[in-house]
Amino acid sequence: MLAFDDVHRFPDEERGLLTALGGLIAQALERAKLYDAEFALARGLQNALLPHRLPTLPGLRVTGRYVPGTRGMDIGGDWYDVIPVGDEVALIVGDVEGHNVAAAAAMGQLRSAMRAFVTAGHRPSDVLASTNRLHMDLDPALLASCCYALLHPRSGVVRIVRAGHCPPLLRLPDGHTEILNIPGGPLIGVEAMPDLPESELHLAPGSILALYTDGLVERRDSAIGSGIDRLRASLARMGGDSLEDLADGLLQDACRSTDRMDDIALLLTEYTP
């Protein structure tokens, strides 16, 4: 609103200027309302797709975290999931590129597809291969990475498959922590028939398996390998805490950053038979 103390007559030039200014302000307000509506839709979509409560499992303790990026719409395509299937438990962390509604929608499709293939009883490599095939049939505009581990709590045997994803970390009961540089395949959405090798490990009681997305280890001033090694050192140093405190501690530096482009998903599993 423009107000004047005295009577003010508007010449044609001033009327034109104020009319144009009013139109620009109206457009800006309309765009802000549309952005708010899209933001609310995207956050609602992502909150509905991410697990609100992880299952309680005999012989295992699990905890997960999701932290959005500090830029953009505060949403992204990272996700985690824990799915009991028969005598085994599926542990999943994935990352769809992008930080917008399209990324959240693609994440929802991939998470739903993986849950369906996991509960059908497919082996880990077949689960990722089938998810990749479905993603390509949907004509994907976005690529995705994923790490899938199928753990048998009674025996401690875990089978792991990676599709273009960061290697998992394993903290042993004595505190020694290592990067599991197991072989992996290409990103989801790149090849129609990818080679996805399956690796098998045996967890000792008290071990902690960490699955995460690259937002937790990427920094502009260093290579991603250095970030993974920093995370390994942090897991080794803080591993004696409770699992919930450990997850919060591993995310502490990332949560303090005000200039973090990527979102983060973290899934910790402690083997306690």
Side-chain angles (χ1 to χ4, degrees):
M1 181 172 63
L2 292 174
F4 300 89
D5 291 336
D6 302 317
V7 174
H8 182 83
R9 301 190 182 280
F10 296 93
D12 291 342
E13 183 178 353
E14 195 170 310
R15 284 176 182 271
L17 175 64
L18 294 176
T19 300
L21 179 61
L24 290 173
I25 293 173
Q27 286 185 358
L29 288 173
E30 188 67 22
R31 287 172 181 164
K33 288 165 63 179
L34 288 173
Y35 179 87
D36 285 345
E38 185 179 8
F39 175 78
L41 173 64
R43 286 301 299 270
L45 171 66
Q46 189 166 56
N47 288 335
L49 292 173
L50 287 172
H52 293 270
R53 185 170 52 253
L54 295 179
T56 301
L57 303 164
L60 292 178
R61 295 191 185 101
V62 291
T63 188
R65 297 287 189 276
Y66 174 78
V67 182
T70 56
R71 293 187 181 182
M73 296 187 67
D74 219 22
I75 61 169
D78 290 13
W79 87 94
Y80 62 87
D81 213 346
V82 178
I83 309 168
V85 49
D87 295 331
E88 298 176 301
V89 179
L91 309 167
I92 303 168
V93 163
D95 181 359
V96 179
E97 65 174 326
H99 318 98
N100 49 29
V101 178
M107 178 269 284
Q109 290 177 331
L110 289 176
R111 179 172 181 256
S112 298
M114 288 199 71
R115 288 189 71 91
F117 294 130
V118 167
T119 54
H122 296 294
R123 58 183 297 167
S125 56
D126 292 337
V127 167
L128 276 187
S130 300
T131 302
N132 175 77
R133 192 159 49 248
L134 177 64
H135 190 56
M136 296 200 72
D137 288 343
L138 295 173
D139 190 21
L142 301 173
L143 302 177
S145 70
C146 184
C147 185
Y148 171 34
L150 186 63
L151 174 61
H152 192 284
R154 289 185 180 178
S155 65
V157 173
V158 57
R159 290 178 287 163
I160 304 176
V161 183
R162 290 196 301 139
H165 202 80
C166 299
L169 303 179
L170 178 64
R171 185 185 190 274
L172 301 177
D174 61 3
H176 176 73
T177 303
E178 57 188 69
I179 301 169
L180 299 179
N181 285 310
I182 57 178
L187 291 163
I188 295 173
V190 172
E191 298 180 17
M193 300 291 290
D195 180 24
L196 296 165
E198 196 172 296
S199 302
E200 185 172 298
L201 304 169
H202 189 279
L203 300 185
S207 299
I208 296 176
L209 182 67
L211 308 182
Y212 56 95
T213 56
D214 56 8
L216 184 56
V217 293
E218 277 187 330
R219 291 186 182 179
R220 290 184 177 181
D221 56 350
S222 64
I224 190 170
S226 300
I228 294 174
D229 196 58
R230 282 193 299 269
L231 182 63
R232 180 202 61 77
S234 297
L235 180 59
R237 185 178 67 253
M238 298 185 291
D241 299 336
S242 72
L243 205 62
E244 298 294 331
D245 291 340
L246 177 58
D248 293 336
L250 294 176
L251 291 171
Q252 192 172 29
D253 289 341
C255 290
R256 279 200 297 255
S257 174
T258 58
D259 190 27
R260 179 171 35 79
M261 293 286 292
D262 207 356
D263 49 339
I264 297 170
L266 172 67
L267 181 64
L268 299 179
T269 303
E270 184 176 9
Y271 181 48
T272 56

